[in-house]
Amino acid sequence: MIATDQPATSVMPEARYEQLVQAVVDYAIYMLDPTGHVVSWNAGAQRIKGYRADEVIGRHFSLFFTAEDCAQGRPERLLLQALEQGVAQDEGWRVRKDGTQFWALAALDVIRDEQGRIIGLAKVTRDITDRRDSALQLDAMRAQLFQAQKLEALGQLSGGLAHDFNNLLTIILSSARLALTSQDPERIRRMLEHIVDAGQRGTQLTQQLLSFARHRQLNVARIAPVDVVASTRSLMEHALPQGIELVEQLQANLPAIEVDAGQLQMVLLNLMFNARDAIEGQGRISLVIECMQLVGEIEGLQGRFVRFDVQDDGQGIDPQVMPRIFEPFFTTKPFGKGTGLGLSQAYGFARQSNGAIRVASASGKGTCISLYLPACPEDQPLTDR
Ligand SMILES: Nc1ncnc2c1ncn2[C@@H]1O[C@H](COP(=O)(O)OP(=O)(O)OP(=O)(O)O)[C@@H](O)[C@H]1O
Ligand SMILES: [Mg+2]
């Protein structure tokens, strides 16, 4: 028996395209005439927007936009952009037939005939409400994680700070007592100077803490790495035990970076807390900052980067533990000592800032964590702060 099915080539190509477009239900695919009126309608468009073909064909596509978008001329702007540039893309709220809204990702492409004349526009729209919701949830979680980490970091700092405040109060009280009992005007003056000096140092400390603790939105600005290091160092000094030395090695003329300074400060503090915790007794933490050219060797990154190395000569990371250190809530520290959020926060920050984070460690020899952040182009000035 000879097969009686029609060979595929005998079906008109246009009919096949039509079948294809009609079969798609996840995308609204339809055509507009050059003035923005609907010319064709597929099953996906009906499913996503709720209109049947006979209800929309001939109507202007502004029908799918919210009243505010229409008032601001968004449909016309999109149409104009597509006609002038050949393509226009948009993301925003769209309205279904029943009045409910969905978050759409839409593309508008010009279609031309053989002579190059515009005969219409192809419109492809996707309902990405779910994707947007998950992205928003992820942002909210990230913000919560950031807050939790900040509290943890403040907790880490507060022990050292309480000690420093106590020292300042001791200076103030003893100087005041001495001044009260002294008859010598010169001595009284010296005591008062001690008091003012200690008070000023206390104010500085609280100011640093307040600026660190303040809840801020992601606040990306062009900053000099040196400034972040200076404020991180002054906080860190209160959290280091006697036997641990902090060394800095900053290359001269480092380029600016464009990141959230508060987050970078917290990431550096966390890396230094980790380094501190890895050192038993005497040791050294080095912060090395250099500018370098990457050519794809670090997670495919290319271009000029500023690398922040936090290096310690502590116990190192066990190879069995290594694959898990960036997991949220993974910690090898005893209860109450670590929450396991520091490195996951650092990882998230590096990714969000278009950079990367790398670890090099050998058991018993120490650890080096390198944070790569993109350098700003040289001709751009620092943001006024
Ligand atoms: N410099 C380091 N030296 C040795 N081990 C390290 C170092 N940095 C991280 N680790 C290991 O990685 C684990 C995870 O680090 P992470 O900073 O995410 O959490 P944590 O320090 O345990 O807790 P948290 O940072 O929330 O206080 C640590 O528990 C530790 O085992
Ligand atoms: Mg940590």
Side-chain angles (χ1 to χ4, degrees):
M1 275 262 294
I2 298 169
T4 53
D5 282 354
Q6 292 248 342
T9 45
S10 73
V11 180
M12 292 287 291
E14 296 91 69
R16 292 237 308 277
Y17 282 126
E18 183 61 29
Q19 280 173 1
L20 174 72
V21 169
Q22 277 308 332
V24 174
V25 288
D26 290 333
Y27 291 78
I29 304 176
Y30 54 98
M31 263 183 72
L32 301 178
D33 67 16
T35 60
H37 292 86
V38 179
V39 179
S40 75
W41 198 242
N42 82 332
Q46 175 163 347
R47 192 183 70 84
I48 293 175
K49 307 203 191 227
Y51 294 97
R52 289 191 318 271
D54 60 308
E55 291 171 316
V56 281
I57 288 183
R59 296 184 68 176
H60 195 262
F61 84 124
S62 54
L63 174 71
F64 313 125
F65 286 75
T66 62
E68 302 89 76
D69 280 351
C70 288
Q72 286 169 12
R74 189 163 176 159
E76 289 75 17
R77 256 203 324 277
L78 266 175
L79 193 66
L80 195 68
Q81 190 190 347
L83 291 171
E84 282 176 4
Q85 298 171 13
V87 58
Q89 290 204 348
D90 189 33
E91 202 179 313
W93 290 113
R94 294 290 189 276
V95 186
R96 297 192 186 93
K97 184 184 165 187
D98 63 9
T100 56
Q101 297 193 356
F102 66 99
W103 189 260
L105 182 66
L108 200 54
D109 284 86
V110 157
I111 308 171
R112 294 172 190 276
D113 65 10
E114 272 143 21
Q115 280 76 47
R117 284 181 304 235
I118 294 176
I119 52 170
L121 298 115
K123 181 90 163 54
V124 179
T125 303
R126 231 186 134 182
D127 178 352
I128 56 161
T129 315
D130 289 349
R131 205 164 84 188
R132 180 172 183 268
D133 286 351
S134 357
L136 289 178
Q137 264 172 20
L138 200 69
D139 281 353
M141 297 250 303
R142 207 177 262 146
Q144 270 176 17
L145 204 67
F146 180 57
Q147 258 332 89
Q149 259 309 90
K150 202 141 72 172
L151 288 177
E152 176 75 22
L154 280 173
Q156 296 251 20
L157 292 170
S158 60
L161 283 168
H163 178 77
D164 286 5
F165 270 113
N166 250 338
N167 283 346
L168 294 176
L169 288 174
T170 310
I171 295 173
I172 291 172
L173 286 174
S174 57
S175 303
R177 280 195 193 108
L178 284 173
L180 277 174
T181 52
S182 173
Q183 304 296 327
D184 175 2
E186 187 46 38
R187 190 172 155 83
I188 293 175
R189 222 178 76 84
R190 266 206 324 275
M191 293 303 124
L192 288 176
E193 274 170 7
H194 286 327
I195 293 174
V196 171
D197 183 55
Q200 267 168 352
R201 274 192 287 152
T203 316
Q204 245 173 23
L205 266 182
T206 44
Q207 230 125 56
Q208 279 163 0
L209 264 189
L210 282 175
S211 72
F212 179 65
R214 199 174 304 143
H215 178 79
R216 280 184 312 171
Q217 290 287 311
L218 193 71
N219 193 354
V220 174
R222 211 169 288 266
I223 51 164
V226 191
D227 292 346
V228 181
V229 170
S231 55
T232 310
R233 186 204 312 115
S234 57
L235 281 175
M236 193 63 206
E237 274 163 359
H238 305 286
L240 281 185
Q242 288 260 306
I244 299 181
E245 183 191 9
L246 180 61
V247 193
E248 280 168 17
Q249 224 177 295
L250 271 60
Q251 199 180 52
N253 301 323
L254 283 166
I257 46 176
E258 202 166 61
V259 293
D260 182 317
Q263 287 209 13
L264 173 59
Q265 188 182 16
M266 201 169 75
V267 166
L268 291 177
L269 277 175
N270 272 317
L271 296 180
M272 291 195 216
F273 290 149
N274 283 350
R276 176 201 62 189
D277 295 345
I279 297 172
E280 277 166 35
Q282 304 278 320
R284 168 188 283 204
I285 302 174
S286 318
L287 176 63
V288 183
I289 310 183
E290 280 173 5
C291 176
M292 60 186 316
Q293 198 72 29
L294 292 184
V295 287
E297 67 277 42
I298 309 287
E299 289 174 33
L301 295 176
Q302 309 249 2
R304 231 159 48 108
F305 281 76
V306 177
R307 196 191 68 221
F308 295 75
D309 282 347
V310 178
Q311 230 168 323
D312 65 67
D313 53 6
Q315 66 196 21
I317 302 176
D318 191 319
Q320 283 194 316
V321 162
M322 188 67 111
R324 303 196 57 193
I325 58 169
F326 291 107
E327 281 177 26
F329 303 109
F330 174 81
T331 181
T332 55
K333 296 175 189 172
F335 183 74
K337 272 231 142 184
T339 51
L341 287 174
L343 285 181
S344 76
Q345 174 71 38
Y347 179 85
F349 169 76
R351 293 301 287 254
Q352 223 181 351
S353 314
N354 300 316
I357 188 161
R358 273 293 179 94
V359 192
S361 183
S363 274
K365 293 233 172 73
T367 302
C368 176
I369 309 244
S370 308
L371 176 70
Y372 296 84
L373 296 173
C376 293
E378 263 156 312
D379 49 357
Q380 290 179 1
L382 290 182
T383 308
D384 287 337
R385 276 165 308 130

